[in-house]
């Protein structure tokens, strides 16, 4: 697969780079960013933390705003941040131009409904295609962790819960924890997957965590700000807590006083998340 390098910046002794490539899963062009720590060489490949961003974001938001590179360079963790959806003139978008569906809002699912199913297969892209590409072209190992914010927190949790053998740990900031029971999720899942709510459960963190068995458990850390404007209506962390209590899932969910939904919140606690993942990536 051909990678087109579209940007490069030296950072904390390592390199932040952006690439564009043809995605088979998404049937079109896709962009991602990667930070390679200075330790990452052919003789000493680095484990990877995949970061999934939220609604309206691209591959750039996390890399520019979270301040993760300093500690990632110290710990020797590579960071990979894909875009949040396929894009382009041939990729259908929300017919009303809304921000919470279509471009920038792939929700990390495999769409089954036309016309979305031709391009919106972000689940396959994140789980299969992107890691295969990263591991084939960069000095990284197959040791992976996954994290994300808001819609991306939903994506990170559901992907890890459905594929525990592929990841060492999972974390999230302000995840959409129970999308089958909130406006953002109901809109996206009904359009991408159809009206059968049973199909939605496959992409609902609370439902998946409630049904998880001990052999599938992964270390999980979630941070949520108590001043988040979306807390009560969209995010519903209490559903995740209840699900973990039911199944015994090893979830640490921290309510952070005074914090909102922004990258100021993420930047305040990203070091905690990087150190959490480092504990489980054999570093």
């Amino acid at each position: 697969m051909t990678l087109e390098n579209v940007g490069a910046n030296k950072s904390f002794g390592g390199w932040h780079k952006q690439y564009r490539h043809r995605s088979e899963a998404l049937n079109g062009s896709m962009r991602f960013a990667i930070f390679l720590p200075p330790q990452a060489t052919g003789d000493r490949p680095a484990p990877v933390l995949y970061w999934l961003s939220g609604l309206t974001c691209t591959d750039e938001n996390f890399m520019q705003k979270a301040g993760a590179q300093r500690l990632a360079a110290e710990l020797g963790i590579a960071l990979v941040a894909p875009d949040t959806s396929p894009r382009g003139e041939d990729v259908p978008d929300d017919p009303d131009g809304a921000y919470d569906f279509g471009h920038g809002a792939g929700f990390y699912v495999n769409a089954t409904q036309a016309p979305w199913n031709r391009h919106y297969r972000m689940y396959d892209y994140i789980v299969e295609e992107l890691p295969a590409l990263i591991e084939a072209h960069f000095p990284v190992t197959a040791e992976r962790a996954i994290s994300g914010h808001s819609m991306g927190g939903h994506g990170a949790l559901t992907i890890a819960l459905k594929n525990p053998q592929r990841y060492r740990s999972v974390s999230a900031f302000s995840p959409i924890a129970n999308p089958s029971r909130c406006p953002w999720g109901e809109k996206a899942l009904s359009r991408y997957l159809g009206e059968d709510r049973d199909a939605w459960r496959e992409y609902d963190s609370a439902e998946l965590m409630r049904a998880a068995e001990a052999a599938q458990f992964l270390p999980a850390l979630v941070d949520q700000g108590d001043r988040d404007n979306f807390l009560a209506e969209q995010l519903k962390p209490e559903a995740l807590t209840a699900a973990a209590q039911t199944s015994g899932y090893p979830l640490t969910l921290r309510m952070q006083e005074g914090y909102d939904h922004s990258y100021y919140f993420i930047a305040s606690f990203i070091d905690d998340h990087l150190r959490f993942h480092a504990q489980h990536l054999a570093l």
Side-chain angles (χ1 to χ4, degrees), residues 16-203:
H16 163 265
K17 297 184 178 183
Q18 289 176 296
Y19 290 90
R20 185 179 292 112
H21 70 101
R22 168 79 184 181
S23 167
E24 296 302 320
L26 303 176
N27 192 28
S29 180
M30 191 63 172
R31 195 174 74 181
F32 68 86
I34 183 169
F35 172 72
L36 290 168
Q39 304 93 324
T41 65
D43 295 330
R44 191 183 175 188
V48 182
L49 173 63
Y50 289 86
W51 174 270
L52 308 184
S53 292
L55 291 167
T56 75
C57 292
T58 70
D59 62 292
E60 295 182 334
N61 296 72
F62 175 75
M63 292 298 195
Q64 292 182 2
K65 296 180 179 180
Q69 291 90 340
R70 179 192 58 78
L71 187 56
E74 179 183 323
L75 296 172
I77 298 175
L79 306 172
V80 172
D83 201 348
T84 51
S85 78
R87 300 179 193 265
E89 292 183 1
D90 62 332
V91 178
D93 197 4
D94 187 284
D96 300 319
Y99 74 92
D100 56 358
F101 186 78
H103 292 190
F107 269 82
Y108 305 101
V109 305
N110 280 343
T112 59
Q113 305 299 300
W116 320 107
N117 57 347
R118 187 166 181 266
H119 294 282
Y120 287 86
R121 300 186 63 83
M122 286 294 293
Y123 177 87
D124 279 354
Y125 179 73
I126 298 300
V127 174
E128 300 288 349
E129 186 176 19
L130 182 60
L133 183 144
I134 296 296
E135 290 161 22
H137 288 87
F138 300 98
V140 301
T141 71
E143 289 188 323
R144 314 177 193 99
I146 191 165
S147 186
H149 172 231
S150 194
M151 178 186 71
H154 141 78
L157 288 169
T158 56
I159 285 170
L161 286 161
K162 290 164 69 70
N163 301 276
Q165 74 284 357
R166 295 184 66 84
Y167 302 96
R168 295 296 187 91
S169 51
V170 58
S171 73
F173 289 84
S174 315
I176 305 171
N178 199 189
S180 62
R181 296 182 181 275
C182 77
W184 278 341
E186 289 173 343
K187 176 179 177 178
L189 297 179
S190 64
R191 293 186 181 185
Y192 288 137
L193 305 177
E195 296 297 337
D196 182 2
R197 285 178 173 263
D198 286 341
W200 301 4
R201 295 176 183 171
E202 290 298 309
Y203 298 102

Side-chain angles (χ1 to χ4, degrees), residues 201-279:
R201 295 176 183 171
E202 290 298 309
Y203 298 102
D204 188 306
S205 301
E207 296 289 344
L208 292 168
M209 189 170 286
R210 182 178 294 108
E213 299 179 355
Q216 303 170 316
F217 289 173
L218 285 176
L221 171 64
V222 172
D223 273 318
Q224 172 65 61
D226 70 359
R227 295 291 185 90
D228 192 316
N229 290 339
F230 303 112
L231 178 58
E233 183 180 24
Q234 303 283 11
L235 305 180
K236 301 184 182 298
E238 67 279 1
L240 209 57
T241 299
Q245 290 173 345
T246 297
S247 63
Y249 204 93
L251 169 69
T252 298
L253 194 153
R254 309 187 304 188
M255 293 297 297
Q256 302 290 2
E257 182 180 359
Y259 287 91
D260 58 20
H261 200 71
S262 73
Y263 265 84
Y264 293 107
F265 172 43
I266 295 169
S268 298
F269 295 98
I270 191 63
D271 283 7
D272 286 1
H273 285 240
L274 289 170
R275 294 190 188 280
F276 166 78
H277 291 297
Q279 293 175 4

